[in-house]
Amino acid sequence: MAAVLGGVLLMVVQETKSGERIQRDAAEDFINDFYNTVLDDPKSVWDTMLTDHLRARHDRGFADFESNWSQWSGVERERVRVKPDSQNWFIIDVAYVDQGGNVQSVRPIEFSLVCDDVFANRLPIITCNQDDLRLQDAYNLSSQLIDQNTD
């Protein structure tokens, strides 16, 4: 989040300590960055925004991930909501736009975020910068992308 004050650009970095709840605003910033980047630069998202656990769920690695995203020209989304009675799980309603410009049906996606900073995960006094947040898991993300083509 950036603000201009007297001609000076101020960056406001949202931080969270490892193990604490990630704020909804930080989760929304993360997922907006994810969707704003994944269609133009899936390799960057693969390298910097996914955990090893989530990357391992793609049988053919990056090729699968890139193939899933290459079929879409855009993603329309609503505001991120906190999943009730959970920690660091969020819900967002998304609609994928196919290469023909057709908007597919809106579907909820549940996702979780974790801090990827080694020290923040070991020392509770160290905070996790938003740049260190990673997508840990997304409920049926790959199958939802494939299912959309068959609707």
Side-chain angles (χ1 to χ4, degrees):
M1 180 185 314
V4 178
L5 182 64
V8 177
L9 181 65
L10 301 174
M11 287 300 285
V12 179
V13 177
Q14 296 194 15
E15 297 179 334
T16 183
K17 290 182 183 174
S18 177
E20 288 186 357
R21 291 190 185 276
I22 294 171
Q23 298 297 312
R24 188 205 60 81
D25 289 346
E28 186 161 70
D29 288 346
F30 177 91
I31 207 69
N32 282 333
D33 287 346
F34 177 93
Y35 285 128
N36 288 338
T37 306
V38 73
L39 296 175
D40 295 327
D41 190 2
K43 182 69 168 137
S44 173
V45 168
W46 177 263
D47 290 341
T48 65
M49 298 183 83
L50 305 181
T51 61
D52 292 341
H53 167 78
L54 190 54
R55 285 193 295 261
R57 288 178 47 196
H58 293 273
D59 292 337
R60 294 185 312 120
F62 175 68
D64 276 350
F65 183 77
E66 184 177 38
S67 176
N68 283 340
W69 286 105
S70 67
Q71 62 190 316
W72 308 110
S73 65
V75 180
E76 295 182 2
R77 55 200 178 267
E78 300 292 328
R79 294 201 66 187
V80 168
R81 305 178 306 276
V82 175
K83 184 176 178 184
D85 301 322
S86 69
Q87 184 163 322
N88 301 336
W89 274 91
F90 304 90
I91 303 168
I92 186 170
D93 293 326
V94 299
Y96 298 96
V97 180
D98 65 26
Q99 295 298 334
N102 301 310
V103 177
Q104 304 300 317
S105 61
V106 175
R107 297 182 185 205
I109 291 182
E110 296 179 7
F111 67 96
S112 67
L113 298 176
V114 294
C115 181
D116 198 45
D117 184 291
V118 174
F119 296 110
N121 286 321
R122 294 202 170 106
L123 303 171
I125 59 170
I126 304 292
T127 58
C128 183
N129 187 307
Q130 187 169 329
D131 291 337
D132 293 323
L133 291 177
R134 298 290 181 269
L135 187 64
Q136 168 67 21
D137 204 356
Y139 178 74
N140 288 336
L141 180 60
S142 296
S143 63
Q144 283 185 2
L145 292 174
I146 293 166
D147 288 346
Q148 303 237 356
N149 266 348
T150 61
D151 286 349

